[in-house]
Amino acid sequence: MENNDNFYLEDNLNEILKIVEKSKKDGNNDRAKLIAVSKTFSADKIEYLYNLGIRDFGESRVQEFLDKYEKLSHLDINWHFIGHLQKNKVKYIVDKVYLIHSVDSLGLANEINKQAEKHNLVSKILVQVNISNDEKKFGVMDNKLIEFIDELKELENVEFSGLMTILVDTDDDELKNSYYNKMLKLSIDILDKIKDNRNQIELSMGMSSDFDIAIKNGATLIRVGTRLFGKR
Ligand SMILES: *Cc1c(COP(=O)(O)O)cnc(C)c1O
């Protein structure tokens, strides 16, 4: 579908990709991949970006995701579920998403396992970490993480794929840098402690205001909304 109103998306995308490339070089990180966070934006805009080569899109509300999933079923999109997920909604999305970023309780992990088993698939998940130990944020505290991931090993239809975090709202770049660096160290430490022989797991971190800082600290998935689509 051609829509001239969407030209700004191409400009924004090119600007973001330029910063991504520079940050990858600066941070010696060749893995960082852009997820276009399309929540609140139309299927039409997603298709426009798809036609510019973007394949990874992030959504955070189940019903909205399902509407777009259906409208865009002709496209080969990797859908990332990045929002807080309620157990009773897992059944609607488990066979449609590529990666669930926001697993923060064993109850939720168990439900994903159960629904994935019904579909005879293995669901890839990230564990959300509350790296800033903020009571208002979701996520597993870093000192509980090893135990949490060990428990996931029991679930045959769930594949632990890495860590995700959402930082406290702050303009302090140094603080952000220290949290993202803590995430990187945590991910390295975890591979050692859980005796996992992968040499890297996914690190989903960085949003519009700080994806460059996240990439320099080893982010493999950055989640960018506003900077790409404009204000929600
Ligand atoms: C909305 C959202 C983003 C994107 O945030 P922007 O600041 O618009 O880039 C990233 N991650 C999560 C979990 C979100 O809900």
Side-chain angles (χ1 to χ4, degrees), residues 35 56-59 78-82 97-99 101 221:
I35 298 172
D56 293 82
F57 292 88
E59 289 285 336
N78 296 326
W79 291 106
H80 295 255
F81 196 83
I82 62 174
V97 294
Y98 169 75
L99 182 64
H101 288 233
L221 298 167

Side-chain angles (χ1 to χ4, degrees), residues 7-215:
F7 280 151
Y8 75 95
L9 285 171
E10 186 165 10
D11 292 340
N12 289 353
L13 177 63
N14 287 337
E15 214 170 276
I16 290 164
L17 291 179
K18 226 186 277 169
I19 300 168
V20 168
E21 284 315 309
K22 180 168 184 333
S23 306
K24 283 166 89 166
K25 237 180 248 154
D26 291 349
N28 226 339
N29 171 1
D30 60 8
R31 272 192 65 181
K33 184 157 82 165
L34 171 69
I35 298 172
V37 175
S38 46
K39 65 184 185 206
T40 76
F41 293 101
S42 65
D44 173 57
K45 293 192 195 308
I46 295 174
E47 184 154 11
Y48 189 88
L49 285 167
Y50 184 93
N51 289 330
L52 295 171
I54 300 298
R55 292 292 175 272
D56 293 82
F57 292 88
E59 289 285 336
S60 62
R61 294 177 198 93
V62 169
Q63 190 54 53
E64 183 185 346
F65 160 65
L66 292 172
D67 291 345
K68 291 175 189 173
Y69 179 86
E70 204 155 284
K71 274 187 190 143
L72 298 169
S73 61
H74 56 295
L75 304 181
D76 183 22
I77 289 177
N78 296 326
W79 291 106
H80 295 255
F81 196 83
I82 62 174
H84 187 64
L85 183 56
Q86 287 172 299
K87 274 191 281 185
N88 61 351
K89 302 268 174 75
V90 171
K91 58 178 177 286
Y92 303 117
I93 70 162
V94 77
D95 58 328
K96 300 179 180 67
V97 294
Y98 169 75
L99 182 64
I100 300 173
H101 288 233
S102 44
V103 176
D104 61 353
S105 75
L106 285 174
L108 177 58
N110 272 304
E111 179 63 15
I112 294 170
N113 188 57
K114 186 175 128 193
Q115 298 299 334
E117 191 180 358
K118 278 189 193 165
H119 289 278
N120 200 21
L121 55 83
V122 175
S123 191
K124 296 211 294 176
I125 64 160
L126 305 182
V127 173
Q128 183 169 351
V129 183
N130 189 345
I131 198 69
S132 40
N133 290 335
D134 180 347
E135 279 174 23
K136 292 191 290 288
K137 291 274 179 217
F138 292 110
V140 180
M141 295 295 179
D142 54 358
N143 59 353
K144 296 273 159 59
L145 203 53
I146 304 285
E147 192 185 327
F148 188 90
I149 295 166
D150 266 332
E151 301 263 5
L152 295 180
K153 285 184 182 163
E154 310 291 317
L155 306 177
E156 287 187 4
N157 293 74
V158 160
E159 180 187 326
F160 167 67
S161 303
L163 307 177
M164 176 271 220
T165 198
I166 303 171
L167 292 192
V168 283
D169 206 6
T170 171
D171 294 328
D172 184 344
D173 284 352
E174 262 177 56
L175 187 62
K176 289 177 174 190
N177 189 64
S178 75
Y179 284 137
Y180 288 144
N181 197 254
K182 224 167 135 189
M183 286 292 291
L184 175 62
K185 290 193 174 133
L186 210 47
S187 75
I188 295 166
D189 194 35
I190 276 163
L191 286 181
D192 184 40
K193 295 245 172 69
I194 66 170
K195 300 188 171 50
D196 189 309
N197 54 20
R198 285 175 284 188
N199 56 22
Q200 204 177 19
I201 47 178
E202 301 288 355
L203 261 184
S204 167
M205 56 191 199
M207 317 200 330
S208 285
S209 64
D210 59 11
F211 63 87
D212 52 330
I213 303 174
I215 292 171

